[in-house]
Amino acid sequence: MKATESQPVRVQQVTKRSNTRWLEYLKDFSFAVPALVILTLFIYYPLLNSLYLSFTNWNMTKPVKKFIGFDNYVYLLTSDMFYKVLKITFTYTILDVSITLGLGLLLALLFNSVSKFFGFMRAIIFMPHYISMVIVSMIFLWIFNGRYGLVNELLSWVGLEPIQWLTNTKTALWVLVLIGVWKGVGFTMIIFIAGLRSIPVEYYEASGIDGATKWTQFWKITLPLLSPTTLFLVVTHFISSMQVFQSVDVLTNGGPLDSTKAMVYWIYEMAFSEFRTGRASALVIMFFLIIVLLTMVQMYVSKKKVHYEG
């Protein structure tokens, strides 16, 4: 009889706990709602809309969108320009990532000290990271101007002929790489310094007692324990470099002779200058898949090369 009377009470308690748990779930989920709304509006919806437009011949000037299947993809994959632009984008990315990370690590080793002078130097090197890429590009447009630029002025002091840096197919891409390195090396240096300071000092003390040189400590301790930091910088900087646009738009407009036409600039040109929106959308989807695939390859390779302490 007692068990029968207590049963409705237990049911009420279970129901109350279940309702409380759901309220907690809803409360936790509410914190993610703003981020989900922003991601949906600015990432997921534009991506899905681009996927839809990539199967049409829409040219932005007419409301009609005719479905043409994979024609845009076939056109791009059989176009010589697609492979040329892809090669330019990869060349820029490899140069930018390798030079920025190498120089950033070197500067981190040089300025990894708590002294005020080194702190001042770190601030100076890091400062370009906060400057807009458009402003940086305009500064370099003056520095490398073929008629009155600072670099040619310095060359004239030592008797050298001026160089048309931005209209020469051999030098224009290097100028863009230099801009990318100058803007990104400060951030890379700071992240590497954070990684260096996370390495326990005991490792260096123990290896010093065993007679290890500074060079051996660098190769056997510093580089392996910096591998998680290096992986983070490689992946993030790789994705950022693949999307180079502002410097190309301000300095070269993809020239001379398309020698600096990177992928994002070509997408912009195709969509807003030639009004081939459907084809540009197909290029966006292909470029997105290329970046995802290469990022997955980097993550797979890193499983064998990255050492996590402990």
Side-chain angles (χ1 to χ4, degrees):
M1 188 65 182
K2 290 182 179 178
T4 304
E5 291 176 349
S6 63
Q7 189 171 4
V9 176
R10 285 201 298 272
V11 170
Q12 290 177 357
Q13 291 174 342
V14 170
T15 304
K16 186 177 181 181
R17 284 199 297 271
S18 178
N19 291 336
T20 305
R21 193 178 300 117
W22 273 108
L23 286 174
E24 290 177 353
Y25 288 155
L26 287 175
K27 186 178 70 176
D28 295 341
F29 180 75
S30 67
F31 289 105
V33 169
L36 288 174
V37 170
I38 292 173
L39 286 172
T40 302
L41 286 176
F42 297 104
I43 302 295
Y44 301 137
Y45 171 72
L47 189 61
L48 290 175
N49 194 44
S50 294
L51 180 63
Y52 162 67
L53 292 176
S54 69
F55 295 108
T56 70
N57 66 345
W58 189 44
N59 62 4
M60 200 182 291
T61 59
K62 298 179 181 178
V64 179
K65 302 180 181 69
K66 182 181 177 182
F67 184 78
I68 58 172
F70 289 93
D71 286 3
N72 288 326
Y73 292 95
V74 172
Y75 174 84
L76 291 170
L77 289 173
T78 55
S79 167
D80 293 337
M81 181 58 77
F82 174 76
Y83 297 101
K84 180 178 182 179
V85 170
L86 202 59
K87 180 182 177 183
I88 291 169
T89 306
F90 277 128
T91 303
Y92 172 87
T93 301
I94 291 170
L95 290 172
D96 184 33
V97 172
S98 57
I99 297 175
T100 302
L101 264 66
L103 192 57
L105 177 59
L106 178 63
L107 293 171
L109 293 170
L110 287 174
F111 298 119
N112 183 22
S113 171
V114 294
S115 72
K116 290 184 179 179
F117 172 73
F118 285 162
F120 174 75
M121 291 303 297
R122 288 196 297 270
I124 293 295
I125 297 170
F126 185 72
M127 194 176 296
H129 179 70
Y130 283 114
I131 304 176
S132 164
M133 192 60 175
V134 175
I135 296 175
V136 171
S137 301
M138 294 180 72
I139 294 171
F140 275 79
L141 185 62
W142 166 70
I143 292 175
F144 286 96
N145 188 283
R147 289 186 298 169
Y148 51 81
L150 177 64
V151 175
N152 279 345
E153 182 68 21
L154 294 175
L155 291 178
S156 67
W157 291 357
V158 293
L160 296 177
E161 294 292 325
I163 299 173
Q164 302 300 320
W165 298 95
L166 299 175
T167 55
N168 189 325
T169 55
K170 295 180 180 178
T171 57
L173 189 63
W174 280 101
V175 174
L176 299 181
V177 172
L178 179 62
I179 295 173
V181 172
W182 185 75
K183 193 172 188 310
V185 72
F187 176 79
T188 306
M189 177 194 67
I190 293 297
I191 299 298
F192 269 131
I193 287 177
L196 287 172
R197 293 184 180 179
S198 68
I199 300 174
V201 182
E202 291 79 7
Y203 292 168
Y204 295 103
E205 293 175 347
S207 61
I209 294 172
D210 292 337
T213 63
K214 293 291 184 184
W215 185 248
T216 304
Q217 290 178 338
F218 175 75
W219 281 105
K220 299 296 184 182
I221 298 175
T222 304
L223 274 186
L225 294 182
L226 272 182
S227 53
T229 306
T230 307
L231 173 64
F232 165 76
L233 289 171
V234 167
V235 172
T236 56
H237 205 72
F238 174 84
I239 295 173
S240 173
S241 295
M242 288 283 285
Q243 301 174 62
V244 58
F245 172 74
Q246 290 97 337
S247 56
V248 179
D249 187 38
V250 174
L251 271 78
T252 64
N253 287 324
L257 301 176
D258 297 329
S259 61
T260 61
K261 186 176 284 187
M263 188 62 78
V264 175
Y265 183 81
W266 193 33
I267 293 171
Y268 167 79
E269 188 180 65
M270 193 180 293
F272 300 105
S273 296
E274 302 172 3
F275 297 105
R276 297 174 179 173
T277 313
R279 192 171 294 171
S281 299
L283 193 54
V284 168
I285 298 300
M286 292 171 66
F287 190 47
F288 171 76
L289 293 177
I290 290 171
I291 291 180
V292 170
L293 178 63
L294 292 176
T295 304
M296 291 174 65
V297 170
Q298 292 176 53
M299 300 301 291
Y300 176 77
V301 173
S302 69
K303 289 181 180 178
K304 298 180 181 179
K305 300 295 182 183
V306 176
H307 302 273
Y308 293 98
E309 190 180 2

